[in-house]
Amino acid sequence: MRNLYRVRRFLTILAAASLAACGQSALGGAPIDPPIEVASFTFTLPDGSAFSTAPIAGRPTMVFFGYTHCPDVCPLTLADWTRARTQLGDNADRVRWLFVSVDPERDTPAVAQQYAHQFDSTFVGLSGDSATVAGMQRAFLVDSYTSPGATAADYLVTHASQSFLVDDEGQLRTMYSFNSGVQEMVADLQRLLRE
């Protein structure tokens, strides 16, 4: 057992040294290693135009799954994103910020977009049919489900609380837990924007 521990420790040190030698350091949050290539999806914006989540060279993407009736996690997460954009300064416009509604029954594309714009006019609020939303959630290995409320229209949706960072090649690189602060997110975005 002790030898196994020493081997693991040696391999960990070797891997860290290799990364340092290459000028690479691990991203913050909860890094996905190896990164996962996520599928692209197309949504319809309120003006009827198509919006693709396909990667764009030089532009990393932040993704959050939520809904507009969310009482806590969603508004706090988008408020964190607003702070992150401020800290990124001029580089903020190179990042795509996607709020994807997991409640397409109540959140039309217009409702999702209006909600996202309450926090920042550059945030993109997306909503689509249930199959598209479910497919995108599967691509990020998350799910959501509804819980009954006081009335049929007053239900809650349990959903992933993480923000996801996708690089400009469509690789899911890391995720950030709810209310973990914006410093790691900003540092990681700055790093990806330099690569």
Side-chain angles (χ1 to χ4, degrees), residues 18-176:
S18 297
L19 287 174
C22 295
Q24 297 178 342
S25 59
L27 293 175
I32 311 297
D33 189 21
I36 299 170
E37 184 172 353
V38 293
S40 299
F41 296 86
T42 301
F43 292 84
T44 301
L45 295 176
D47 65 5
S49 63
F51 181 92
S52 175
T53 64
I56 298 174
R59 297 193 67 190
T61 302
M62 291 297 304
V63 177
F64 177 72
F65 297 94
Y67 69 116
T68 66
H69 288 75
C70 181
D72 43 27
V73 174
C74 301
L76 292 173
T77 297
L78 293 186
D80 281 348
W81 279 15
T82 302
R83 285 191 288 281
R85 268 193 55 81
T86 299
Q87 291 182 30
L88 283 168
D90 293 339
N91 283 326
D93 289 336
R94 294 176 53 203
V95 178
R96 295 194 309 166
W97 308 82
L98 310 183
F99 167 78
V100 182
S101 175
V102 297
D103 185 13
E105 293 297 318
R106 291 183 293 193
D107 294 345
T108 64
V111 169
Q113 184 76 300
Q114 181 181 15
Y115 182 78
H117 282 182
Q118 289 177 1
F119 296 90
D120 192 282
S121 63
T122 64
F123 292 172
V124 180
L126 300 172
S127 183
D129 59 80
S130 297
T132 301
V133 172
M136 188 163 177
Q137 286 185 92
R138 278 193 302 275
F140 284 81
L141 308 176
V142 297
D143 200 358
S144 61
Y145 60 91
T146 60
S147 301
T151 67
D154 185 32
Y155 55 86
L156 296 175
V157 182
T158 300
H159 59 90
S161 62
Q162 300 91 349
S163 291
F164 299 91
L165 175 55
V166 180
D167 67 20
D168 67 351
E169 296 179 352
Q171 301 283 322
L172 174 56
R173 299 282 298 273
T174 193
M175 58 185 171
Y176 307 94

